[in-house]
PDB file of all heavy atoms in Angstrom:
ATOM      1  N   GLU A 243      -3.702 -90.934 -18.673  1.00 86.00           N
ATOM      2  CA  GLU A 243      -4.897 -91.501 -19.300  1.00 86.00           C
ATOM      3  C   GLU A 243      -6.019 -90.475 -19.415  1.00 86.00           C
ATOM      4  O   GLU A 243      -7.192 -90.763 -19.144  1.00 86.00           O
ATOM      5  CB  GLU A 243      -5.359 -92.750 -18.536  1.00 86.00           C
ATOM      6  CG  GLU A 243      -4.317 -93.852 -18.552  1.00 86.00           C
ATOM      7  CD  GLU A 243      -4.800 -95.135 -17.893  1.00 86.00           C
ATOM      8  OE1 GLU A 243      -5.987 -95.176 -17.511  1.00 86.00           O
ATOM      9  OE2 GLU A 243      -4.006 -96.074 -17.762  1.00 86.00           O
ATOM     10  N   ARG A 244      -5.651 -89.292 -19.821  1.00 83.00           N
ATOM     11  CA  ARG A 244      -6.621 -88.233 -20.066  1.00 83.00           C
ATOM     12  C   ARG A 244      -6.568 -87.831 -21.535  1.00 83.00           C
ATOM     13  O   ARG A 244      -5.507 -87.854 -22.161  1.00 83.00           O
ATOM     14  CB  ARG A 244      -6.343 -87.006 -19.193  1.00 83.00           C
ATOM     15  CG  ARG A 244      -6.535 -87.260 -17.702  1.00 83.00           C
ATOM     16  CD  ARG A 244      -6.169 -86.029 -16.899  1.00 83.00           C
ATOM     17  NE  ARG A 244      -6.372 -86.226 -15.471  1.00 83.00           N
ATOM     18  CZ  ARG A 244      -7.486 -85.968 -14.821  1.00 83.00           C
ATOM     19  NH1 ARG A 244      -8.530 -85.493 -15.493  1.00 83.00           N
ATOM     20  NH2 ARG A 244      -7.600 -86.177 -13.527  1.00 83.00           N
ATOM     21  N   ARG A 245      -7.722 -87.431 -22.040  1.00 80.00           N
ATOM     22  CA  ARG A 245      -7.801 -86.998 -23.428  1.00 80.00           C
ATOM     23  C   ARG A 245      -7.408 -85.528 -23.516  1.00 80.00           C
ATOM     24  O   ARG A 245      -7.949 -84.694 -22.798  1.00 80.00           O
ATOM     25  CB  ARG A 245      -9.210 -87.203 -23.980  1.00 80.00           C
ATOM     26  CG  ARG A 245      -9.343 -86.791 -25.439  1.00 80.00           C
ATOM     27  CD  ARG A 245     -10.775 -86.930 -25.915  1.00 80.00           C
ATOM     28  NE  ARG A 245     -10.914 -86.474 -27.289  1.00 80.00           N
ATOM     29  CZ  ARG A 245     -12.065 -86.367 -27.927  1.00 80.00           C
ATOM     30  NH1 ARG A 245     -13.193 -86.697 -27.299  1.00 80.00           N
ATOM     31  NH2 ARG A 245     -12.113 -85.937 -29.155  1.00 80.00           N
ATOM     32  N   ALA A 246      -6.491 -85.223 -24.412  1.00 82.00           N
ATOM     33  CA  ALA A 246      -6.037 -83.848 -24.573  1.00 82.00           C
ATOM     34  C   ALA A 246      -7.040 -83.047 -25.398  1.00 82.00           C
ATOM     35  O   ALA A 246      -7.650 -83.559 -26.341  1.00 82.00           O
ATOM     36  CB  ALA A 246      -4.671 -83.808 -25.249  1.00 82.00           C
ATOM     37  N   VAL A 247      -7.227 -81.785 -25.039  1.00 80.00           N
ATOM     38  CA  VAL A 247      -8.052 -80.868 -25.819  1.00 80.00           C
ATOM     39  C   VAL A 247      -7.222 -80.224 -26.914  1.00 80.00           C
ATOM     40  O   VAL A 247      -7.722 -79.884 -27.982  1.00 80.00           O
ATOM     41  CB  VAL A 247      -8.660 -79.787 -24.904  1.00 80.00           C
ATOM     42  CG1 VAL A 247      -9.514 -78.804 -25.700  1.00 80.00           C
ATOM     43  CG2 VAL A 247      -9.493 -80.432 -23.807  1.00 80.00           C
ATOM     44  N   VAL A 248      -5.918 -80.069 -26.629  1.00 86.00           N
ATOM     45  CA  VAL A 248      -5.009 -79.369 -27.534  1.00 86.00           C
ATOM     46  C   VAL A 248      -3.797 -80.249 -27.809  1.00 86.00           C
ATOM     47  O   VAL A 248      -3.317 -80.962 -26.921  1.00 86.00           O
ATOM     48  CB  VAL A 248      -4.542 -78.035 -26.909  1.00 86.00           C
ATOM     49  CG1 VAL A 248      -3.526 -77.339 -27.807  1.00 86.00           C
ATOM     50  CG2 VAL A 248      -5.735 -77.128 -26.659  1.00 86.00           C
ATOM     51  N   ALA A 249      -3.302 -80.212 -29.034  1.00 90.00           N
ATOM     52  CA  ALA A 249      -2.053 -80.871 -29.389  1.00 90.00           C
ATOM     53  C   ALA A 249      -1.014 -79.811 -29.712  1.00 90.00           C
ATOM     54  O   ALA A 249      -1.354 -78.751 -30.252  1.00 90.00           O
ATOM     55  CB  ALA A 249      -2.256 -81.796 -30.581  1.00 90.00           C
ATOM     56  N   GLY A 250       0.230 -80.078 -29.371  1.00 91.00           N
ATOM     57  CA  GLY A 250       1.304 -79.129 -29.639  1.00 91.00           C
ATOM     58  C   GLY A 250       2.350 -79.158 -28.547  1.00 91.00           C
ATOM     59  O   GLY A 250       2.251 -79.917 -27.581  1.00 91.00           O
ATOM     60  N   LYS A 251       3.388 -78.320 -28.700  1.00 93.00           N
ATOM     61  CA  LYS A 251       4.480 -78.230 -27.735  1.00 93.00           C
ATOM     62  C   LYS A 251       4.284 -76.970 -26.895  1.00 93.00           C
ATOM     63  O   LYS A 251       4.239 -75.855 -27.416  1.00 93.00           O
ATOM     64  CB  LYS A 251       5.827 -78.181 -28.447  1.00 93.00           C
ATOM     65  CG  LYS A 251       6.118 -79.432 -29.295  1.00 93.00           C
ATOM     66  CD  LYS A 251       6.243 -80.671 -28.436  1.00 93.00           C
ATOM     67  CE  LYS A 251       6.571 -81.910 -29.253  1.00 93.00           C
ATOM     68  NZ  LYS A 251       7.901 -81.840 -29.891  1.00 93.00           N
ATOM     69  N   ALA A 252       4.166 -77.160 -25.569  1.00 93.00           N
ATOM     70  CA  ALA A 252       3.869 -76.055 -24.655  1.00 93.00           C
ATOM     71  C   ALA A 252       5.123 -75.581 -23.937  1.00 93.00           C
ATOM     72  O   ALA A 252       6.021 -76.365 -23.616  1.00 93.00           O
ATOM     73  CB  ALA A 252       2.825 -76.482 -23.624  1.00 93.00           C
ATOM     74  N   SER A 253       5.158 -74.265 -23.682  1.00 95.00           N
ATOM     75  CA  SER A 253       6.213 -73.656 -22.880  1.00 95.00           C
ATOM     76  C   SER A 253       5.554 -72.725 -21.875  1.00 95.00           C
ATOM     77  O   SER A 253       4.477 -72.171 -22.140  1.00 95.00           O
ATOM     78  CB  SER A 253       7.189 -72.869 -23.763  1.00 95.00           C
ATOM     79  OG  SER A 253       7.784 -73.716 -24.735  1.00 95.00           O
ATOM     80  N   GLY A 254       6.190 -72.549 -20.707  1.00 95.00           N
ATOM     81  CA  GLY A 254       5.597 -71.657 -19.724  1.00 95.00           C
ATOM     82  C   GLY A 254       6.190 -71.824 -18.345  1.00 95.00           C
ATOM     83  O   GLY A 254       7.336 -72.265 -18.193  1.00 95.00           O
ATOM     84  N   HIS A 255       5.393 -71.491 -17.339  1.00 96.00           N
ATOM     85  CA  HIS A 255       5.845 -71.511 -15.947  1.00 96.00           C
ATOM     86  C   HIS A 255       4.699 -71.982 -15.051  1.00 96.00           C
ATOM     87  O   HIS A 255       3.550 -71.574 -15.242  1.00 96.00           O
ATOM     88  CB  HIS A 255       6.300 -70.117 -15.504  1.00 96.00           C
ATOM     89  CG  HIS A 255       6.664 -70.029 -14.054  1.00 96.00           C
ATOM     90  ND1 HIS A 255       7.927 -70.331 -13.590  1.00 96.00           N
ATOM     91  CD2 HIS A 255       5.932 -69.674 -12.964  1.00 96.00           C
ATOM     92  CE1 HIS A 255       7.952 -70.163 -12.275  1.00 96.00           C
ATOM     93  NE2 HIS A 255       6.753 -69.772 -11.877  1.00 96.00           N
ATOM     94  N   THR A 256       5.015 -72.852 -14.082  1.00 95.00           N
ATOM     95  CA  THR A 256       4.012 -73.375 -13.148  1.00 95.00           C
ATOM     96  C   THR A 256       4.418 -73.061 -11.715  1.00 95.00           C
ATOM     97  O   THR A 256       5.576 -73.239 -11.335  1.00 95.00           O
ATOM     98  CB  THR A 256       3.851 -74.899 -13.306  1.00 95.00           C
ATOM     99  OG1 THR A 256       3.336 -75.190 -14.603  1.00 95.00           O
ATOM    100  CG2 THR A 256       2.900 -75.454 -12.260  1.00 95.00           C
ATOM    101  N   ASP A 257       3.455 -72.585 -10.925  1.00 96.00           N
ATOM    102  CA  ASP A 257       3.616 -72.410  -9.479  1.00 96.00           C
ATOM    103  C   ASP A 257       2.616 -73.321  -8.786  1.00 96.00           C
ATOM    104  O   ASP A 257       1.490 -73.510  -9.272  1.00 96.00           O
ATOM    105  CB  ASP A 257       3.344 -70.964  -9.056  1.00 96.00           C
ATOM    106  CG  ASP A 257       4.406 -70.005  -9.577  1.00 96.00           C
ATOM    107  OD1 ASP A 257       5.580 -70.181  -9.226  1.00 96.00           O
ATOM    108  OD2 ASP A 257       4.040 -69.086 -10.342  1.00 96.00           O
ATOM    109  N   LEU A 258       3.007 -73.877  -7.656  1.00 94.00           N
ATOM    110  CA  LEU A 258       2.075 -74.694  -6.875  1.00 94.00           C
ATOM    111  C   LEU A 258       2.143 -74.286  -5.412  1.00 94.00           C
ATOM    112  O   LEU A 258       3.173 -73.810  -4.931  1.00 94.00           O
ATOM    113  CB  LEU A 258       2.366 -76.186  -7.039  1.00 94.00           C
ATOM    114  CG  LEU A 258       3.677 -76.770  -6.485  1.00 94.00           C
ATOM    115  CD1 LEU A 258       3.557 -77.130  -5.007  1.00 94.00           C
ATOM    116  CD2 LEU A 258       4.072 -78.006  -7.277  1.00 94.00           C
ATOM    117  N   ILE A 259       1.035 -74.467  -4.720  1.00 94.00           N
ATOM    118  CA  ILE A 259       0.969 -74.204  -3.287  1.00 94.00           C
ATOM    119  C   ILE A 259      -0.017 -75.186  -2.669  1.00 94.00           C
ATOM    120  O   ILE A 259      -1.053 -75.493  -3.255  1.00 94.00           O
ATOM    121  CB  ILE A 259       0.558 -72.744  -2.991  1.00 94.00           C
ATOM    122  CG1 ILE A 259       0.557 -72.492  -1.479  1.00 94.00           C
ATOM    123  CG2 ILE A 259      -0.799 -72.432  -3.580  1.00 94.00           C
ATOM    124  CD1 ILE A 259       0.382 -71.025  -1.117  1.00 94.00           C
TER     125      ILE A 259
END
Side-chain angles (χ1 to χ4, degrees):
E243 298 184 5
R244 294 177 179 270
R245 181 184 177 186
V247 179
V248 176
K251 299 295 182 65
S253 301
H255 175 86
T256 296
D257 292 300
L258 67 85
I259 182 171

